[in-house]
Amino acid sequence: MRNAEFDREKVLRKAMTLFMEKGYNKTSMPDLKQATGLHPGSIYCAFENKHGLLLAAIAQYKADRNVEFSQFFSTDEPVLTQFKTYLDHIVSECVSCDAAKGCLFITALYESTQADKEVQAVISENIAQWQQAIADKFKQAMTKGELSADKDHEHLARFLVMGIYGLRTFAQSHPQPEILEKLAEQLFNSICH
Amino acid sequence: MRNAEFDREKVLRKAMTLFMEKGYNKTSMPDLKQATGLHPGSIYCAFENKHGLLLAAIAQYKADRNVEFSQFFSTDEPVLTQFKTYLDHIVSECVSCDAAKGCLFITALYESTQADKEVQAVISENIAQWQQAIADKFKQAMTKGELSADKDHEHLARFLVMGIYGLRTFAQSHPQPEILEKLAEQLFNSICH
DNA sequence: ATAATACTTGAATGGTCATTCAAATAAATG
DNA sequence: CATTTATTTGAATGACCATTCAAGTATTAT
C-alpha cells in the first residue's frame, strides 16, 4: 500500500483555477501537469481522467463556496445586512483580475455539451443547494421581522441567484466597479422593498 | 473573376447555430463542413480561418438580433408593453430546445480567452450597442410619460441587460417556464416601479 | 525483512484537428 | 472566344492532445 504524495485540495484548487481561467476544454493535460506538478499518470490514477478531475474540482469549488457562504452569514448583524455584504463581496470578485471573477458553475455549465449530462446535473444540483441556503436565510429574515412576511422566500432566492448570475455575466463585458455596485444595490433593493 | 456559390447568410446562420449548440472550440471543421456544405478550403477562402468565421457569425448574429429588436418596438403599443412582450419572448427562447436558448454573445464571451481580445472587444461593443438601444427606448418611455422622469434610463438599461443575462444563465440550469416567467415579471416590475 | 500493493514517472500511442496546397473548375471581362 | 481571376475540392500536413502502459519506487502490513 501507499498513499498519494500530493495534497488533494491543493491540486484541485490549482485545477479549478485553470478551468476558470482558460476553460475546461482549453486546459490541456500539459497545462495541468505544469500547474499541479502531477504527471499524467498520477492524475489518471487519482481522478480516472480529465473529466473526473473536472468533477472533483467542481466538488471542491462547491465545498469552498459553502464555507465562504457560511462565513458571511455567521455574524450577529441583521440577515439583510449580511446579504448586502455578501453581494458586495461578489461584486469585488467580479472586478478582480484573478480566476474568482469567473464562477466555475457558470463557466463549466456553459462549456458543457448536451452529451455531458453528468456535469450538467452536478452543477444544477449544486446551484439548487446554494439557492436553498439563500432561501433559508430569507426565511430567517422574515421570521426576524427584517423582511415583510408576505413575500415568497424561495422566489426571492431565485431572483437573487438570477441577479448574481446577471452581475457576473454583465461584468464579463463591462467590469466597471461603480456600475456593478449600483446594479448590485438595485438588485438588493428589488428584493427588500 | 468568380463569385462565391454559397449563400453567405445561410452559411453564417448554420455556423452560428453550431457555435451556440456545441461552443466554438468543440465545433470542428468537419462539423462545419457537414453543416454548411462548404469544404475547408472554401471556408478559408471566404473567412480566412475558423476564427474569422466566428467573427462573421457574431456579426450576423448581431444583425439578426437588431432586426428582431426593432420588430418588437415597431408596434403602436406603449413602450413598456413592448418591453414586456420582448421579455416574454426571451423567456420563451430560454425554455426552447433549439440553439436560441443560448445567446452567442454570452457563450462566445465565456469561451473566449484572455488571449482573444478581438472577440471580447467585438462582443462588448455589440452588447453596449444593444444596451444603448434599450436605454433609448426607456428614454422614449419617459418622455411619453410611461415611466417616471426621475429615473436614469441608462441605469435601467444596464439593469435590464443584467437581468436578461441572469435569466438566460439561470435557465441553463433550471429551464422551467413558470419560474422564468415569474422572474421576468419581477425583473420588469423592478424597473417600472 | 519481505511481500504485496499502490503511486509515480514519462515516453509512446493513436486519434483528431486546423490549416495548407495544388489541381480543377467556373464566372466575368475584354 | 479566350484570358484572367476567384472559388472549389479534398487529400496531405504537422501539431497537439488525452490516454495508456510498463518500469520504477515508496509505503504498509504481515
Side-chain angles (χ1 to χ4, degrees):
Chain A
M1 305 241 197
R2 185 183 173 188
N3 298 326
E5 289 173 4
F6 61 89
D7 180 334
R8 190 182 159 93
E9 288 196 7
K10 273 190 186 172
V11 164
L12 288 178
R13 291 206 184 93
K14 285 281 188 190
M16 117 186 23
T17 299
L18 277 183
F19 290 154
M20 284 189 284
E21 280 174 354
K22 312 184 53 151
Y24 170 71
N25 285 294
K26 285 212 280 244
T27 300
S28 67
M29 290 304 291
D31 288 339
L32 288 165
K33 181 191 168 184
Q34 200 207 3
T36 65
L38 259 56
H39 291 255
S42 293
I43 294 180
Y44 278 77
C45 185
F47 303 104
E48 178 111 22
N49 52 27
K50 194 186 164 192
H51 188 255
L53 179 59
L54 173 64
L55 290 173
I58 290 173
Q60 184 64 51
Y61 183 77
K62 177 60 160 53
D64 289 353
R65 306 288 304 196
N66 270 354
V67 169
E68 185 191 71
F69 183 89
S70 298
Q71 283 171 349
F72 276 97
F73 291 89
S74 65
T75 67
D76 54 4
E77 291 171 308
V79 178
L80 289 186
T81 307
Q82 293 170 333
F83 266 117
K84 192 74 185 67
T85 309
Y86 183 55
L87 259 184
D88 288 344
H89 167 71
I90 288 173
V91 167
S92 75
E93 270 188 345
C94 289
V95 298
S96 80
C97 289
D98 56 80
K101 79 173 166 183
C103 162
L104 185 58
F105 291 161
I106 302 183
T107 55
L109 193 58
Y110 270 117
E111 224 180 330
S112 74
T113 48
Q114 214 64 23
D116 195 350
K117 296 288 181 200
E118 192 176 5
V119 161
Q120 299 194 339
V122 165
I123 294 180
S124 293
E125 175 59 24
N126 284 349
I127 291 173
Q129 283 174 17
W130 173 49
Q131 192 181 103
Q132 189 56 54
I134 291 175
D136 291 347
K137 290 298 169 188
F138 276 131
K139 181 147 203 187
Q140 194 182 324
M142 283 162 63
T143 53
K144 286 172 81 181
E146 298 177 30
L147 206 53
S148 80
D150 62 349
K151 306 216 180 200
D152 175 355
H153 62 287
E154 300 208 323
H155 168 73
L156 291 183
R158 283 191 292 264
F159 192 76
L160 183 59
V161 167
M162 180 199 82
I164 289 171
Y165 284 168
L167 269 176
R168 295 201 105 109
T169 306
F170 189 91
Q172 290 283 325
S173 68
H174 293 99
Q176 297 152 273
E178 328 81 51
I179 285 182
L180 293 175
E181 280 156 19
K182 265 198 203 167
L183 289 173
E185 196 183 330
Q186 166 145 17
L187 178 62
F188 182 74
N189 290 339
S190 300
I191 285 168
C192 298
H193 303 157
Chain B
M1 303 240 195
R2 186 181 172 190
N3 299 325
E5 289 173 6
F6 61 89
D7 180 334
R8 190 182 160 93
E9 288 196 7
K10 272 189 185 171
V11 164
L12 287 178
R13 291 207 184 91
K14 285 282 189 190
M16 110 183 33
T17 300
L18 277 183
F19 291 154
M20 285 189 281
E21 280 174 354
K22 311 184 54 154
Y24 170 72
N25 285 294
K26 285 213 281 244
T27 300
S28 67
M29 290 304 291
D31 289 338
L32 288 165
K33 181 191 166 180
Q34 200 206 3
T36 65
L38 259 56
H39 291 254
S42 293
I43 294 179
Y44 278 76
C45 185
F47 304 104
E48 177 114 21
N49 53 26
K50 194 186 163 193
H51 188 256
L53 180 59
L54 173 65
L55 290 173
I58 289 173
Q60 184 64 51
Y61 183 77
K62 176 60 161 50
D64 289 353
R65 307 288 303 197
N66 270 354
V67 169
E68 185 192 70
F69 183 87
S70 298
Q71 283 170 349
F72 277 98
F73 290 88
S74 65
T75 68
D76 53 3
E77 290 171 306
V79 178
L80 290 186
T81 308
Q82 292 170 335
F83 265 116
K84 191 75 183 67
T85 308
Y86 183 56
L87 260 184
D88 287 345
H89 167 71
I90 288 173
V91 167
S92 77
E93 270 188 345
C94 288
V95 299
S96 80
C97 289
D98 57 80
K101 80 173 166 183
C103 161
L104 185 58
F105 292 160
I106 302 182
T107 54
L109 193 59
Y110 270 118
E111 223 180 329
S112 74
T113 48
Q114 214 66 23
D116 195 351
K117 296 288 181 200
E118 192 175 5
V119 162
Q120 299 193 340
V122 165
I123 294 180
S124 293
E125 175 59 24
N126 284 349
I127 291 172
Q129 284 176 16
W130 173 50
Q131 194 181 101
Q132 189 57 53
I134 290 176
D136 291 348
K137 290 298 169 187
F138 276 132
K139 181 149 203 185
Q140 194 182 324
M142 282 162 62
T143 54
K144 286 173 80 180
E146 296 177 31
L147 206 53
S148 79
D150 62 349
K151 306 219 180 199
D152 175 354
H153 62 287
E154 299 207 325
H155 169 72
L156 291 184
R158 283 191 291 264
F159 193 76
L160 183 59
V161 167
M162 180 198 82
I164 289 171
Y165 284 167
L167 269 176
R168 295 201 106 106
T169 306
F170 190 91
Q172 290 284 325
S173 68
H174 293 100
Q176 296 152 274
E178 328 81 50
I179 285 181
L180 293 175
E181 281 156 18
K182 265 199 202 165
L183 289 174
E185 197 182 330
Q186 166 144 16
L187 178 61
F188 182 74
N189 289 339
S190 300
I191 286 169
C192 299
H193 302 157

